[in-house]
Amino acid sequence: MAAGTADQPIPGNGDPISEEEALRRLRLTDDPSAQYYAAWWLGRNRSSHPDAVPLLQEALRQRRPRDPGAGVEENAVARNAARALGKLGAPARAAIPDLLATLDDDDHGLREAAARALGELRAEDAVEPLRRRLASGPAVAGAQQPGTPRLQEPCEALLEALGDIGVADPPVLAVIEPFVGHERPLIRSAACRALLQLTAEPRWGDQLVALLTHQQLQVRRAALMDLGAAGWRQALEPIAATLAENSLKLIALRGLVEQPAAGAGQPEAAPDPATVAVLDVMDALL
Amino acid sequence: MINTDVMALVEAVQRADSALGLLQATQALAAAAHPDGAACLVEVLGFNNPGAAVAAVDGLIAIGEPAVDTILTNIDGYNYGARAWAVRALAGIGDVRGLEVLEDALGKDIGPSVRRAAARGLGQLRLENLAAPVRQATAERCLQALVEGCRDGEWVVRYAVAVGLESLAPELHPEPQQRLHAALLGLRHNPEEEAPVVSLRAALALQRLGVSHG
């Protein structure tokens, strides 16, 4: 995961507003700039208002062909709406069909935001469409677009979504595996993360640990986030020794504590010795 | 190490003309851990070179109490980055003269990494040389700041508050001790908590303090 993509900066006018005000602005269909901020606000504050999800669904539908140079355009609203839906948990599952529809949009950034949201919502219906967008492999889906640094598909987001959703069918694994050999280390990291989540095979964890010593800080940061997302406990010592900010190591270690417990854990239980070992490392990084 | 050697190390920091050169010279000065190097190390905190700043913070912590006055008189109210590093150095040294800066940082600083360092620092001030009444009053000020920190909006700060409360506990008399336990129980059972790791860390603290927490 590219560090920093998880927490979008405050877009536009970052004034403090109320939930009512955010919902009011999201209804202003002739003011995309107000809608853009409102959509971001509802996700950032994890709104549970009953109007939030329907309004964000509307915002997703108001996209149109891209109009570069038009400032904050409807597509930017749709992208923020997708990101917000990913953060609203169970009530946002009603929007899964709308998010699936945007997976085939021409807008690369919207596909990326929708893929991440579908991953966050654990949308099993998204597995096949996500798999299909990656099926042409690193040489096509993973090829660089002429004239931009982008790949043909938002591979990192698509791979991470497949890992997060957690359907470990052989056809899914077969499509992810070739991306472990992609020329870009961030894509390799995302592929290893997804495979580690889906199979728990140590070889994928070992490859992520190897990326913790990559010469580029950006790659080391991504590998930290990916090991945290997969909750790979074997990485405890290498994470502690990585040359990167303590803030990111703490996020990764939080993942080591919380991920193995996801779904199965006893939240009321006292921490076991292996968890205490992770907490001790976290304490030393504060 | 004699003074002229330290001066040579200081000059090397001042002469450094690249990021890498500054980092290496700062590391060498920090390794000397000599009080005469403190002013120069504090200066490095304001250079916007994170690697060198980390080394300078380590050096200041290694110098310890003799560096505190230098840090406090040079703390930069305008250079945000330098202030953040200075808070970390004060938290690491644990000298009680840093109390006010740490209280302020936990309560008001905009950077979560600074608030988190301050919370940890408030739990590890060295109070053993203070006269008993002052010692108890100081510990209760730390407690008050940490209790307020339980409501911080960032999970990592609330985590650091749990760590700070655990390490502060032995300093407190029974009545404030009860308030400390209540704060940890609040972190343990907060229904709004979005980060299970915070609740787990509070459980560990309570367990280590011998408090039952369900």
Side-chain angles (χ1 to χ4, degrees):
Chain A
M1 175 194 281
T5 54
D7 247 336
Q8 299 293 329
I10 301 172
N13 44 346
D15 50 326
I17 60 173
S18 68
E19 186 173 55
E20 279 305 322
E21 173 63 10
L23 293 165
R24 187 189 71 80
R25 290 189 193 181
L26 193 50
R27 292 188 181 95
L28 300 176
T29 47
D30 55 353
D31 186 354
S33 168
Q35 289 186 298
Y36 182 74
Y37 180 62
W40 174 84
W41 192 98
L42 292 171
R44 177 71 174 81
N45 293 288
R46 296 192 158 60
S47 169
S48 55
H49 194 285
D51 291 351
V53 170
L55 283 170
L56 290 167
Q57 285 173 283
E58 278 302 314
L60 260 189
R61 291 187 202 117
Q62 83 188 51
R63 68 189 186 277
R64 62 181 182 194
R66 298 208 67 188
D67 180 10
V72 176
E73 19 143 11
E74 282 76 355
N75 264 21
V77 177
R79 289 195 290 273
N80 262 7
R83 291 181 190 118
L85 285 165
K87 303 195 183 319
L88 297 189
R93 293 186 59 89
I96 287 174
D98 305 273
L99 289 164
L100 288 173
T102 61
L103 264 191
D104 289 321
D105 198 275
D106 288 340
D107 183 343
H108 187 280
L110 182 54
R111 295 205 300 281
E112 177 173 23
R116 289 195 193 282
L118 288 162
E120 287 170 312
L121 296 174
R122 309 285 186 268
E124 296 202 359
D125 289 349
V127 170
E128 181 52 26
L130 289 166
R131 188 198 67 81
R132 239 180 3 242
R133 291 220 76 105
L134 286 168
S136 57
V140 180
Q144 189 169 331
Q145 285 178 5
T148 90
R150 284 184 161 165
L151 304 178
Q152 294 294 342
E153 292 294 333
C155 294
E156 202 179 327
L158 298 169
L159 290 163
E160 289 178 8
L162 285 172
D164 286 342
I165 296 169
V167 174
D169 288 345
V172 175
L173 301 178
V175 163
I176 298 174
E177 268 205 50
F179 287 90
V180 170
H182 196 277
E183 58 180 359
R184 293 193 186 179
L186 293 181
I187 304 299
R188 298 204 292 276
S189 191
C192 288
R193 161 198 167 144
L195 290 165
L196 184 58
Q197 286 171 308
L198 296 175
T199 69
E201 286 178 28
R203 57 181 170 144
W204 309 123
D206 293 345
Q207 292 203 37
L208 282 172
V209 167
L211 287 172
L212 290 177
T213 55
H214 194 278
Q215 56 175 0
Q216 285 177 279
L217 176 59
Q218 185 197 15
V219 176
R220 300 197 296 273
R221 287 172 172 162
L224 280 174
M225 295 300 99
D226 289 337
L227 284 162
W232 189 242
R233 287 276 176 104
Q234 284 85 331
L236 175 60
E237 295 304 325
I239 287 173
T242 299
L243 292 173
E245 300 88 336
N246 285 4
S247 305
L248 289 181
K249 295 192 207 178
L250 285 162
I251 293 171
L253 293 170
R254 174 186 171 189
L256 261 51
V257 170
E258 294 181 359
Q259 288 308 322
Q266 246 310 336
E268 290 305 310
D272 57 87
T275 301
V276 172
V278 183
L279 296 176
D280 284 343
V281 173
M282 290 180 71
D283 291 1
L285 292 170
L286 296 172
Chain B
M1 174 174 294
I2 56 168
N3 194 278
T4 48
D5 291 342
V6 181
M7 286 304 114
L9 292 170
V10 167
E11 275 167 35
V13 172
Q14 289 164 344
R15 273 201 320 270
D17 54 6
S18 69
L20 183 63
L22 178 66
L23 171 62
Q24 290 168 339
T26 305
Q27 284 171 331
L29 178 60
H34 194 288
D36 289 346
C40 179
L41 291 171
V42 168
E43 220 179 311
V44 172
L45 303 180
F47 286 175
N48 193 24
N49 178 324
V54 168
V57 167
D58 288 346
L60 289 166
I61 293 172
I63 296 167
E65 292 184 7
V68 172
D69 269 335
T70 312
I71 298 172
L72 288 174
T73 51
N74 290 290
I75 213 162
D76 193 331
Y78 299 97
N79 183 338
Y80 168 72
R83 211 178 142 75
W85 292 113
V87 167
R88 282 179 218 189
L90 288 171
I93 294 170
D95 189 282
V96 73
R97 286 169 290 172
L99 171 60
E100 217 167 301
V101 171
L102 296 178
E103 283 175 324
D104 230 43
L106 176 57
K108 297 181 197 152
D109 202 283
I110 57 164
S113 64
V114 179
R115 300 201 300 280
R116 137 196 135 205
R120 181 172 188 236
L122 283 164
Q124 59 188 21
L125 289 184
R126 301 207 177 109
L127 306 178
E128 57 272 11
N129 295 326
L130 300 176
V134 182
R135 181 171 178 168
Q136 190 57 209
T138 307
E140 291 201 31
R141 268 178 72 176
C142 295
L143 173 62
Q144 187 54 37
L146 288 167
V147 166
E148 285 164 23
C150 290
R151 297 196 308 266
D152 198 284
E154 290 287 334
W155 73 269
V156 77
V157 180
R158 297 191 298 278
Y159 183 98
V161 165
V163 173
L165 286 168
E166 180 188 316
S167 51
L168 179 66
E171 284 291 337
L172 291 165
H173 289 162
E175 187 277 326
Q177 184 87 237
Q178 290 302 310
R179 276 187 279 144
L180 184 144
H181 294 165
L184 282 171
L185 285 164
L187 289 171
R188 170 71 175 129
H189 296 296
N190 176 8
E192 312 259 283
E193 181 56 65
E194 54 172 22
V197 71
V198 173
S199 166
L200 266 177
R201 187 62 187 83
L204 179 61
L206 287 161
Q207 186 182 312
R208 285 173 174 167
L209 298 174
V211 181
S212 112
H213 55 83

